[in-house]
Amino acid sequence: MNHNTPLSPRPLHHLSEVRSRVLTAAQLRARSVSAADANEQCRPGGPWQQLLPGVFLLHPGPPTSQERLHAVLVYAAREQRSGGVPAQPGAADPHRPVYAEAMITGLAALTLHGFTATPSLLALDRIDVLVPRLRRLRSTGCARVVRTAALPPAEQVTGLPVAPVPRALADAVAELTDAGAVRRLLTEAVRGGHCEPAAVVRELNNAKLLSRPHVVDAVDSLLAEGRAIAEDRLYRMVQEHGLPDPVWNVDLRLPGGPHLGGLDAYWPEQAVAVELDTRAPRQDEDALWSEYARKREHLERLGITVVHITPKKLRDAMEQQAAVVRTALMAAGDRDPAAYVVVLPR
């Protein structure tokens, strides 16, 4: 047999035995099932059903959550074929789904990421799927098409491409009007360790959602939650990595002079300060960064070393951040004495 030899037809009952029971019209054609045969199988009372345009479920009962997810993805995915041959490695098996330029987002993605504040997959009437902006697709059935100028890198969850938590949150929040629901989602994202507040706010800002009052209120709660978690990690870093105890949450002033700024931790003898960088990337980011930079430059002109630490670095590389602070403390003896400043509780 050579590659020009036509495939012999397979009996239709064979298709119901394959592991993937969600197939596209193209995959059925690869199994020698014509469009007329597929339509006949989907007649009322028949053994198959059509879940979405060009997407078939090879049994008559309600689809499972995994089958719905697969159906939405194969409906939205761009076919990767050239000359009739799958272009993507591993796509030669017509029963193995290949999802090009499509990923689950919104509430369904958050549920897949393990959120508890989201409905179950079966309880969702629609599943959001993220695709490039120029794709010619329409929302239909259980698939709601969400468009983006640039697809983020997908994360694999249960073998499916899923949008990262910050992007999935933004797409979910865009459809929610309940302030409590929005607050619960954002809080779980941070408290559950799924992502940092700054990443969430960045996506909400990109989606132009920060003009909605109920979203702004939820973001304020989110930032407060994120700062509390970051402060707790900073305390743990000092204790677990054997750093000397600082004075916590203080304001610095020049004697009889102006306020120099607040600090999260300060070692007066070494003139070393730690400031948590919990800026949220909103429209006024440049102004906030300028304020941070001015304060840091002013303190360093006075001989005070300022170590900026982000919540993400505290979470992902606490030992490394402790080493940075320890190095600054050890180097204090090699520097000129710092200017005298007044340390006040904040």
Side-chain angles (χ1 to χ4, degrees), residues 166-334:
R167 176 65 205 230
L169 270 172
D171 290 333
V173 168
E175 297 299 307
L176 295 174
T177 57
D178 184 283
V182 172
R183 183 177 291 106
R184 285 190 294 272
L185 287 179
L186 300 191
T187 299
E188 183 172 356
V190 174
R191 191 176 294 172
H194 295 284
C195 57
E196 295 299 327
V200 177
V201 179
R202 183 180 300 109
E203 287 291 350
L204 294 175
N205 187 40
N206 290 342
K208 297 180 173 54
L209 296 173
L210 294 182
S211 60
R212 302 181 183 183
H214 68 285
V215 176
V216 173
D217 291 344
V219 164
D220 290 340
S221 298
L222 170 76
L223 296 177
E225 179 86 14
R227 169 160 275 281
I229 292 172
E231 288 175 347
D232 181 65
R233 288 178 183 150
L234 184 59
Y235 297 146
R236 283 175 42 217
M237 184 191 79
V238 170
Q239 294 167 0
E240 295 175 8
H241 293 277
L243 297 173
D245 287 333
V247 289
W248 298 102
N249 295 316
V250 296
D251 277 321
L252 300 187
R253 293 180 182 274
L254 288 172
H259 173 252
L260 297 173
L263 298 169
D264 295 287
Y266 185 57
W267 287 264
E269 292 184 9
Q270 295 86 0
V272 172
V274 166
E275 185 166 29
L276 287 172
D277 186 355
T278 56
R279 289 175 299 123
R282 301 198 200 187
Q283 293 88 341
D284 56 353
E285 180 181 9
D286 290 342
L288 280 173
W289 175 244
S290 296
E291 181 182 338
Y292 270 71
R294 281 195 300 271
K295 179 168 70 173
R296 179 174 185 169
E297 291 170 1
H298 192 176
L299 291 175
E300 291 186 344
R301 283 198 300 270
L302 296 172
I304 296 171
T305 299
V306 182
V307 178
H308 274 264
I309 300 179
T310 65
K312 187 176 189 301
K313 288 181 179 178
L314 266 180
R315 183 189 69 182
D316 298 338
M318 182 181 288
E319 184 176 359
Q320 181 186 50
Q321 299 309 300
V324 172
V325 174
R326 184 178 290 107
T327 299
L329 293 171
M330 293 174 62
D334 299 328

Side-chain angles (χ1 to χ4, degrees), residues 72-73 76-78 99-106 109 127-133 135 137 144-154 161-164 167-168 171 203:
V72 169
L73 283 167
R78 183 188 294 277
Y99 311 120
E101 297 188 356
M103 65 186 71
I104 301 297
T105 190
I127 295 172
D128 293 341
V129 60
L130 191 62
V131 301
R133 180 171 293 162
R135 290 291 310 281
L137 274 175
R144 190 179 79 89
V145 174
V146 181
R147 303 179 190 281
T148 182
L151 283 175
V162 179
R167 176 65 205 230
D171 290 333
E203 287 291 350

Side-chain angles (χ1 to χ4, degrees), residues 12 14 16 22 39 84 106 110 154 202 233 238 268 295 341:
L12 294 182
H14 169 83
S16 63
V22 176
N39 290 334
L110 297 178
R202 183 180 300 109
R233 288 178 183 150
V238 170
K295 179 168 70 173
V341 294

